Amino acid sequence: MAQIQAIKGFADQFPAQSRLFEMMEATAREVFPRYGFGELRTPLMEYTDLFCRGIGTETDVVQKEMYCIPDSKGRSMSLRPEATAGVMRAYIESGVHAREAVSRFFTIGPMFRHERPQKGRMRQFHQINCECLGPKEPEADAEIICMMMEFLGRLGLRNLTLQINSLGCSSCRPVYRRNLHDWLANLDQSKLCEDCRRRMETNPLRVLDCKVPACKELTADAPVILDNECPDCRAHFEAVLRHLDAEKIPYEINHRLVRGLDYYTRTTWEVVSNEIGSQGSVAGGGRYDGLVEQLGGPSVPGIGFACGMERLALLLEGRELPAVSPDFYVAVLDDSCRDAAFALAQSLRREGFSGTLGYESRSMKATMRQAGKSGARYTLIMGTNELASGTVIIKNMESGEQREVPCADVAAGLNAEK
Ligand code: HAM
């Protein structure tokens, strides 16, 4: 029969990789609550309109990358390509904004984007995502960046670059947008890629982060957004940088960092690694002061970021995680011992030990090979002699020492060996 394969860009995670993911999640769950963040789990699917309005109809994510299916009434639903829009929907719909001045949420889980798969780029990928709603003050920006850097540091990741920029607000950005558009219009259009020629009209800022070398070269002297910002935006950004300096968080200002989603205002950032190939952005985020309102909620500013877990996993690959060796392996030398062996394994698990059972009876040599493969620290050997005398042989797999104990004393025996 023909084999059925996984969908392209969708991956399985076997225990070794799951352990890495669990470690990242545990670190997030340890760090974020110390900054007042609580976990919010939102659905994997939302109405497509939410992402169109939230992320922006002109973005690649909405234009090309969403998995959309109609519901039974023909209304389009989409697998979430990111967490922010869903978190905003939940925040508005629950009315939580009326009850608390500041809300802080983190969300961990799979996201879906129909991109061309390559190393570090999947169609189903996982994000650790944080959002802080309420404060407009620069301390909130600096704090969430510090939290993100603490999280990455706790994972043991050091060679990362924090790139930061400010994208202005609804009063100064349109002016910059016009300036940039006019500047771009004076270039030789035939030298810009097709995407940039289109973006120039729809969202000229996106031209700045085009990866095509010819476009980069042509726009190298483009006007810089920071030079065009209003005094409030400039003061806000300076305060964010001052706090980062005070906390000794190194950063690089990247004038071309505009991010691929439309909701950003003011502070925006990415964390980049040069150790994992072309998909080196391991985290990205920023402020989005108009988003809640744009989605039908009150005028509440917000800020957040997301880390890509597959990309973090690439950086963590080869990292020694504490081995999870089970406590015991019950080896069965004769079929007559199977009931007693099963009962022994269950009683030990009730006592809090971990381990597995050799279901089939085998020769001593074969069973010890199985026991070795299980990685257990102790093999509990049961044969006809032991069954008759109500005992078990405990073999220490590291030292090779073994001793016979009554079945009822195995738990105490294992505890004594620890
Ligand atoms: P983003 O930059 O689109 O931002 O994604 C954040 C991170 O998710 C990226 O830096 C990358 O590590 C990872 N990522 C994105 N696409 C893929 C993919 N196809 N395969 C593997 N990893 C990927 C957002 O999603 C925003 N919602 C972040 C945010 C939260 N901004 C404010 N709040």
Side-chain angles (χ1 to χ4, degrees):
M1 277 244 266
Q3 229 180 316
I4 298 177
Q5 292 177 335
I7 301 169
K8 191 173 171 200
F10 288 60
D12 301 305
Q13 277 184 359
F14 280 82
Q17 212 198 4
S18 296
R19 268 171 49 210
L20 260 186
F21 274 57
E22 273 167 28
M23 186 272 279
M24 292 187 242
E25 290 172 14
T27 308
R29 292 194 169 93
E30 202 266 305
V31 174
F32 301 158
R34 283 198 289 100
Y35 287 77
F37 284 72
E39 186 162 1
L40 171 63
R41 300 179 194 218
T42 61
L44 299 195
M45 267 199 156
E46 301 276 359
Y47 285 119
T48 303
D49 291 346
L50 173 70
F51 301 118
C52 295
R53 276 167 61 186
I55 299 172
T57 43
E58 273 307 314
T59 57
D60 286 351
V61 170
V62 167
Q63 285 212 333
K64 317 182 201 162
E65 296 169 4
M66 287 213 291
Y67 285 89
C68 309
I69 53 164
D71 72 3
S72 58
K73 297 195 177 100
R75 192 165 170 192
S76 178
M77 309 181 293
S78 293
L79 285 172
R80 61 182 186 189
E82 55 123 44
T84 311
V87 172
M88 296 307 117
R89 195 241 345 109
Y91 173 76
I92 298 165
E93 196 175 348
S94 65
V96 66
H97 53 82
R99 297 191 293 279
E100 40 187 56
V102 180
S103 301
R104 300 180 181 90
F105 304 113
F106 70 92
T107 300
I108 302 177
M111 311 292 153
F112 305 85
R113 295 185 192 176
H114 193 270
E115 296 188 81
R116 196 171 47 78
Q118 64 179 95
K119 185 179 170 194
R121 190 161 69 192
M122 302 293 296
R123 290 181 172 170
Q124 176 178 312
F125 61 100
H126 297 75
Q127 283 186 344
I128 293 183
N129 179 88
C130 292
E131 313 291 355
C132 172
L133 292 140
K136 59 179 185 330
E137 289 74 16
E139 286 71 27
D141 307 42
E143 186 179 54
I144 204 166
I145 295 173
C146 289
M147 179 176 88
M148 178 194 69
M149 294 311 283
E150 180 179 340
F151 166 68
L152 295 169
R154 288 287 190 96
L155 294 179
L157 302 174
R158 305 265 177 256
N159 297 329
L160 298 173
T161 308
L162 169 63
Q163 299 188 346
I164 193 163
N165 195 14
S166 170
L167 293 182
C169 64
S170 54
S171 77
C172 56
R173 184 155 26 155
V175 180
Y176 172 69
R177 224 179 114 117
R178 250 193 326 274
N179 288 347
L180 182 63
H181 173 270
D182 295 349
W183 187 90
L184 292 168
N186 281 328
L187 297 176
D188 179 353
Q189 302 299 302
S190 67
K191 290 191 176 146
L192 285 172
C193 74
E194 204 186 311
D195 273 346
C196 281
R197 282 203 295 271
R198 187 175 46 80
R199 284 177 186 145
M200 207 180 95
E201 300 306 329
T202 56
N203 185 359
L205 270 73
R206 288 300 311 280
V207 174
L208 295 180
D209 78 344
C210 179
K211 304 287 176 283
V212 176
C215 297
K216 273 188 176 173
E217 205 184 309
L218 205 63
T219 60
D221 299 325
V224 166
I225 189 158
L226 286 179
D227 297 341
N228 288 263
E229 281 184 4
C230 63
D232 281 355
C233 283
R234 226 182 283 179
H236 188 277
F237 192 51
E238 278 164 12
V240 175
L241 300 185
R242 201 171 55 241
H243 290 303
L244 294 181
D245 289 337
E247 286 299 306
K248 301 196 168 37
I249 305 248
Y251 55 82
E252 280 174 9
I253 296 178
N254 177 353
H255 298 298
R256 300 175 80 90
L257 180 72
V258 298
R259 309 270 301 127
L261 314 168
D262 274 357
Y263 45 65
Y264 292 110
T265 52
R266 293 195 165 172
T267 320
T268 46
W269 68 89
E270 275 185 22
V271 177
V272 185
S273 162
N274 57 14
E275 292 171 13
I276 50 172
S278 66
Q279 302 303 309
S281 167
V282 298
R287 186 165 268 291
Y288 44 79
D289 290 346
L291 181 58
V292 177
E293 209 172 354
Q294 197 177 306
L295 292 173
S299 168
V300 175
I303 184 162
F305 70 91
C307 299
M309 295 181 77
E310 279 74 7
R311 295 188 191 172
L312 295 179
L314 283 175
L315 285 171
L316 292 167
E317 240 166 42
R319 185 71 51 93
E320 283 285 308
L321 285 183
V324 273
S325 43
D327 297 313
F328 67 82
Y329 176 82
V330 183
V332 182
L333 299 183
D334 189 87
D335 270 349
S336 61
C337 308
R338 281 169 47 186
D339 288 1
F342 178 82
L344 175 65
Q346 281 299 93
S347 74
L348 289 174
R349 292 177 188 131
R350 273 194 296 275
E351 294 282 335
F353 294 102
S354 61
T356 56
L357 170 70
Y359 306 107
E360 273 178 84
S361 59
R362 296 169 193 253
S363 69
M364 182 62 111
K365 196 170 155 203
T367 208
M368 288 317 290
R369 204 170 35 238
Q370 283 301 115
K373 276 192 189 161
S374 80
R377 289 181 301 126
Y378 300 98
T379 301
L380 310 175
I381 304 165
M382 281 195 138
T384 45
N385 291 345
E386 289 75 28
L387 188 68
S389 58
T391 59
V392 177
I393 295 171
I394 302 182
K395 176 168 180 162
N396 181 323
M397 298 299 280
E398 200 182 305
S399 64
E401 278 167 27
Q402 54 184 60
R403 62 198 176 96
E404 195 168 341
V405 299
C407 263
D409 297 344
V410 175
L414 290 184
N415 273 329
E417 295 254 2
K418 269 187 183 168

